[in-house]
Amino acid sequence: MTPFHSAAEAQGLGAPIVRLFITALGRLPDLPGLDTLVAARRAGTGLLGLAEAIVAQPEFLSRHGPDGPPDEDYLRALFWAVDGTDPDEADRALLAPPATRATILLAVSQSRRAQGGIALDEALFPDGLPPDDDVAYQMWLEMTALSASSQAKLGRHAASLSPIRLSAILVVPPVRPDLVVETIESLSAQLWPHWDCVLACPPGLPPHVLATLRTIVQRVPGVSLLDTAGPSTAAHANEVAANATGQMLCWLEAGDQLHPHAFYEAAILLADGAAPRLIYTDEDRIDGDAVRSTPWFKPDWSPDLALAGDTVGQLALFDRSAALADPFRAIDAPFERYGMALRLAHGAPIDAIRHIPTVLFHRSRQHGRPPRFPEARAVPSMPALEGVVRRHLADHQPALTLGVRLHGPAPWPALEASLQDPMPRVTAIIPLRNRADLLERCLEGLLHGTDYPDIEVVLLDNDSDDGETLQLLVRVQHDPRVRVLQAPGPFNWSALNNQGAAEATGDILLLLNNDIEVTEPGWLRALVGHVMRPEIGVVGARLLFPDGNLQHGGVLLGPKGKAVHALTWADGADPGYAGQVATQRDLSAVTGACLAIRRDVFGQVGGLQAKTLHVGWGDVDLCLRVREAGYRVLWVPAATLVHHEMATRGRDITPQQQARHETERAVLRRRWPGETDQDPFLNPNLDARERMVLACPPRRSPPWLAAQDQTDTAA
């Protein structure tokens, strides 16, 4: 984290310091050095004082020689550090007496060439802008702000859309009417003009609050008051909803603010005749000085993730007819909106739940507001939220129960799926070549350390020639659950697993690497329980490196055909951005190192593509074909194992291996161009790396530009 309190402070204090460091030492300041110099600036030390301190450092003297009168070589070295060019005639004037090394350093570091050649965001965040750093986020907002020409295109596009009405509902609190004013002002600033807002006035509002409300109604067209008499906030909200006129409704709280494009973006989704039950957007927080922070970039709809807590958040727009048919319930307070979201989404087709992946809602920082996900999640310490989920499961998904698992020291929700009796047979398919030590450990855990009654193991021996391995293969066949199949020839992971699947007798296929180590007995029950759910096609596990760091938290795709494991090498106790690797969730793909799939689904999609994807991308392609067939791919952290990654085959480091890797990646990208560029479970404002960083620029094509492209194509 940077030592700055805001992007403005980073620009004012940080930029000159960074330029001093790069100009003087040819490198970025490390965090301790930056902290020291920032503290000095806050204490009143001027930039010249910092420059004098830097030129006295041993590193500076080693780079530029012992202290002495500055000369042209010194000046040239400074400019080369800035932009790789020589000083011009005007620059040489900096050498005129009474110049010192420090005064010249300061002048060069603050020159126009230095300001143009050094990007502050890259200097402060060389590994990318982290979304959970408020300074980084504010810098990102400045970098991605719309140009004037884009604003004009946006306005023209909004004017061309059908006038679909949207409604906002706000139950007025008995205090702080100024917060109501803030919310209404954000509605007044909407680019989309076709909206109305009903203010619900519970009994007993103080006179000064009522006076403020009457002023709002007189001043702002589209705002009206409705006296409500219900016994609860839910009753007030429902009464107002019945009087709203919009196609979709949103419930706001005093102090919340909508981005000016919020209703316009929602109207775009409705303009083509779509009838979503629920639209939700990304969000951040805003303070009294209008400073934005703490962005929450959400994935597209994941039903299992939604049962961990209110992952919809705000802004949330509900279909009015559906909301009236199944309104707020007082028992869900203060999470009535979340309860409604779960009910409206249950059983809905995937295109009925729409996510707009851009920040269109600014949540108030006012004290007393319920925390948002993942701080608020369905665990015993939050009984009201946990109760919403338990009631929903009891009413709509009785085959699932809500449990708790520890992720590091903290409790996190864990969905548990009931297992049929008798439990289905699982066929574990394990390709191998030599490495008896790995295989023996894997089989020991699978056959003797796993709490599951019906396991079959099919070993695919791909030309093992190590005596210890050959002896082990003879020995393990004494166990009637184990079979060894010979599979000679060049290593082809997809073909080996297809061969094993053809010989399997289990209803569940478990693709398993021989370098997997079982560390807890219940992992297979967790996988099987979920993969037997009819809507689920593939289930993947949480895999750790032997040192306890995360190896596989799901596969993230894009852009340009990239695929990475989320948060690789993160501390095993780290929940990740927005609980990313602590909660069960939908993904586009999971690794084939430990992947469960029903045998009928494997056959339905044609198995693995052994002709074109031999080694590296077959698991991703399989998952994408399973999703194309209408099933979901699920990542379940309750199934945790250790993965001694690449211990058998090694990494792709030779030119031939790298060429094959790139060839197969190209195959995958041609087959799945959209999916490998825009992963629905990787927000387009985030980059697919082992660490979540902000995408610069975001991958989402702005809707007004897409509309312009369609117009140009039609012309």
Side-chain angles (χ1 to χ4, degrees):
M1 303 292 261
T2 67
F4 305 110
H5 304 308
S6 67
E9 188 183 53
Q11 190 66 44
L13 284 182
I17 294 173
V18 167
R19 288 196 290 268
L20 272 173
F21 248 84
I22 293 176
T23 307
L25 305 176
R27 68 170 177 86
L28 297 170
D30 55 26
L31 193 55
L34 186 61
D35 284 341
T36 299
L37 295 179
V38 168
R41 287 286 284 143
R42 287 185 177 135
T45 302
L47 288 175
L48 181 57
L50 297 188
E52 290 170 340
I54 290 173
V55 301
Q57 291 181 3
E59 182 181 353
F60 181 91
L61 297 174
S62 175
R63 181 180 177 88
H64 297 286
D67 193 14
D71 56 18
E72 191 159 326
D73 287 341
Y74 172 69
L75 185 66
R76 182 181 299 111
L78 297 183
F79 274 104
W80 267 85
V82 164
D83 63 3
T85 63
D86 288 331
D88 58 26
E89 195 62 38
D91 297 326
R92 292 186 181 92
L94 295 173
L95 293 169
T100 66
R101 281 186 161 191
T103 60
I104 294 175
L105 169 59
L106 178 60
V108 174
S109 71
Q110 307 310 312
S111 67
R112 182 172 299 177
R113 285 164 63 177
Q115 293 180 26
I118 300 172
L120 183 60
D121 63 300
E122 295 177 5
L124 294 180
F125 303 99
D127 297 324
L129 297 170
D132 52 359
D133 185 294
D134 289 342
V135 171
Y137 177 54
Q138 290 158 19
M139 295 174 72
W140 181 82
L141 288 173
E142 294 177 3
M143 295 162 58
T144 57
L146 287 180
S147 65
S149 62
S150 292
Q151 292 277 15
K153 291 176 183 177
L154 186 151
R156 289 194 295 271
H157 182 233
S160 71
L161 298 175
S162 301
I164 298 167
R165 182 160 291 276
L166 304 171
S167 292
I169 296 169
L170 192 153
V171 177
V172 178
V175 295
R176 295 293 305 273
D178 58 305
L179 298 180
V180 178
V181 172
E182 288 182 4
T183 301
I184 297 301
E185 286 177 347
S186 78
L187 290 172
S188 300
Q190 290 298 298
L191 175 69
W192 187 251
H194 310 292
W195 60 268
D196 58 56
C197 176
V198 184
L199 301 176
C201 300
L205 288 178
H208 74 283
V209 173
L210 292 172
T212 299
L213 300 182
R214 285 192 287 269
T215 300
I216 290 173
V217 171
Q218 293 171 0
R219 183 171 55 86
V220 183
V223 179
S224 60
L225 301 179
L226 181 67
D227 293 329
T228 58
S232 65
T233 299
H236 299 312
N238 293 335
E239 188 176 345
V240 175
N243 287 272
T245 61
Q247 180 176 334
M248 301 199 79
L249 313 175
C250 64
W251 280 268
L252 307 177
E253 295 180 70
D256 291 339
Q257 299 181 39
L258 274 62
H259 188 282
H261 301 167
F263 282 168
Y264 156 69
E265 291 257 16
I268 293 171
L269 292 182
L270 303 170
D272 60 0
R277 293 189 188 182
L278 171 64
I279 297 171
Y280 67 100
T281 77
D282 297 342
E283 61 179 276
D284 61 14
R285 295 190 185 277
I286 194 166
D287 65 16
D289 297 321
V291 175
R292 294 167 57 184
S293 63
T294 325
W296 181 11
F297 295 110
K298 307 165 189 175
D300 280 4
W301 179 248
S302 170
D304 281 41
L305 177 61
L307 292 167
D310 184 8
T311 58
V312 170
Q314 286 276 38
L315 177 68
L317 289 146
F318 298 85
D319 176 76
R320 179 176 178 272
S321 298
L324 292 178
D326 196 349
F328 278 11
R329 299 179 181 179
I331 194 174
D332 290 340
F335 301 103
E336 301 96 335
R337 188 178 60 247
Y338 172 48
M340 175 182 281
L342 290 180
R343 296 192 299 275
L344 264 61
H346 178 69
I350 191 65
D351 61 353
I353 314 298
R354 303 294 293 273
H355 170 220
I356 301 175
T358 192
V359 174
L360 298 175
F361 185 88
H362 313 307
R363 191 181 291 250
S364 172
R365 280 186 175 273
Q366 296 302 315
H367 295 296
R369 300 289 296 277
R372 69 184 189 188
F373 184 83
E375 289 76 19
R377 51 187 185 265
V379 292
S381 60
M382 298 204 72
L385 184 56
E386 185 186 46
V388 174
V389 177
R390 291 194 183 281
R391 286 188 294 273
H392 176 82
L393 292 176
D395 292 343
H396 301 285
Q397 295 174 267
L400 295 178
T401 56
L402 180 65
V404 176
R405 59 176 292 273
L406 289 178
H407 188 94
W412 286 80
L415 288 177
E416 300 167 2
S418 59
L419 285 161
Q420 63 188 50
D421 188 18
M423 297 182 196
R425 171 171 291 182
V426 174
T427 298
I429 302 170
I430 307 177
L432 69 113
R433 178 184 291 170
N434 295 324
R435 292 304 303 265
D437 56 330
L438 296 177
L439 179 62
E440 187 169 23
R441 181 170 52 201
C442 178
L443 291 177
E444 176 65 24
L446 179 61
L447 296 172
H448 305 293
T450 298
D451 180 18
Y452 197 85
D454 194 354
I455 298 174
E456 173 187 50
V457 179
V458 176
L459 300 176
L460 286 304
D461 180 21
N462 183 224
D463 291 330
S464 291
D465 55 11
D466 169 70
E468 188 177 354
T469 301
L470 296 176
Q471 292 175 19
L472 176 63
L473 292 178
V474 171
R475 202 163 59 244
V476 297
Q477 290 183 82
H478 295 156
D479 189 321
R481 296 173 291 177
V482 180
R483 285 185 288 154
V484 177
L485 304 179
Q486 295 304 312
F491 181 79
N492 184 323
W493 182 84
S494 296
L496 292 169
N497 280 287
N498 284 345
Q499 181 181 348
E503 296 287 335
T505 63
D507 292 328
I508 308 298
L509 305 180
L510 177 69
L511 311 189
L512 194 67
N513 278 17
N514 67 329
D515 54 3
I516 292 293
E517 177 184 357
V518 173
T519 55
E520 53 188 48
W523 67 278
L524 190 53
R525 287 175 177 259
L527 292 181
V528 172
H530 289 294
V531 83
M532 288 302 293
R533 294 163 55 185
E535 72 275 19
I536 304 299
V538 164
V539 177
R542 173 177 176 254
L543 303 179
L544 303 177
F545 287 112
D547 64 3
N549 289 334
L550 184 67
Q551 190 271 330
H552 174 252
V555 176
L556 302 175
L557 303 179
K560 299 180 180 179
K562 290 195 304 182
V564 300
H565 289 186
L567 289 178
T568 300
W569 293 113
D571 188 295
D574 183 355
Y577 178 69
Q580 178 183 25
V581 291
T583 44
Q584 184 168 308
R585 62 182 59 220
D586 288 73
L587 290 170
S588 290
V590 294
T591 180
C594 181
L595 181 156
I597 182 172
R598 293 198 304 276
R599 186 171 58 169
D600 60 333
V601 174
F602 190 82
Q604 179 184 342
V605 301
L608 291 153
Q609 300 299 296
K611 291 184 178 180
T612 54
L613 299 173
H614 298 171
V615 179
W617 299 89
D619 47 4
V620 175
D621 176 75
L622 174 66
C623 290
L624 292 176
R625 283 186 287 116
V626 166
R627 281 179 47 80
E628 184 182 51
Y631 301 100
R632 292 164 48 204
V633 173
L634 204 60
W635 180 76
V636 178
T640 294
L641 305 102
V642 169
H643 186 195
H644 300 261
E645 186 186 22
M646 299 293 184
T648 301
R649 192 173 59 82
R651 295 189 178 275
D652 293 335
I653 57 175
T654 69
Q656 295 81 4
Q657 290 171 330
Q658 291 177 349
R660 186 210 64 237
H661 177 85
E662 291 303 316
T663 297
E664 294 186 3
R665 184 172 78 156
V667 169
L668 187 82
R669 194 175 182 203
R670 285 194 299 272
R671 174 70 176 85
W672 305 100
E675 291 79 358
T676 54
D677 270 344
Q678 295 284 0
D679 186 335
F681 304 110
L682 174 67
N683 190 292
N685 297 292
L686 300 173
D687 257 353
R689 304 184 192 176
E690 284 80 3
R691 301 292 179 272
M692 288 294 100
V693 296
L694 294 165
C696 300
R699 293 183 303 282
R700 181 186 185 229
S701 177
W704 55 92
L705 293 183
Q708 182 64 49
D709 291 343
Q710 293 173 0
T711 301
D712 294 344
T713 301

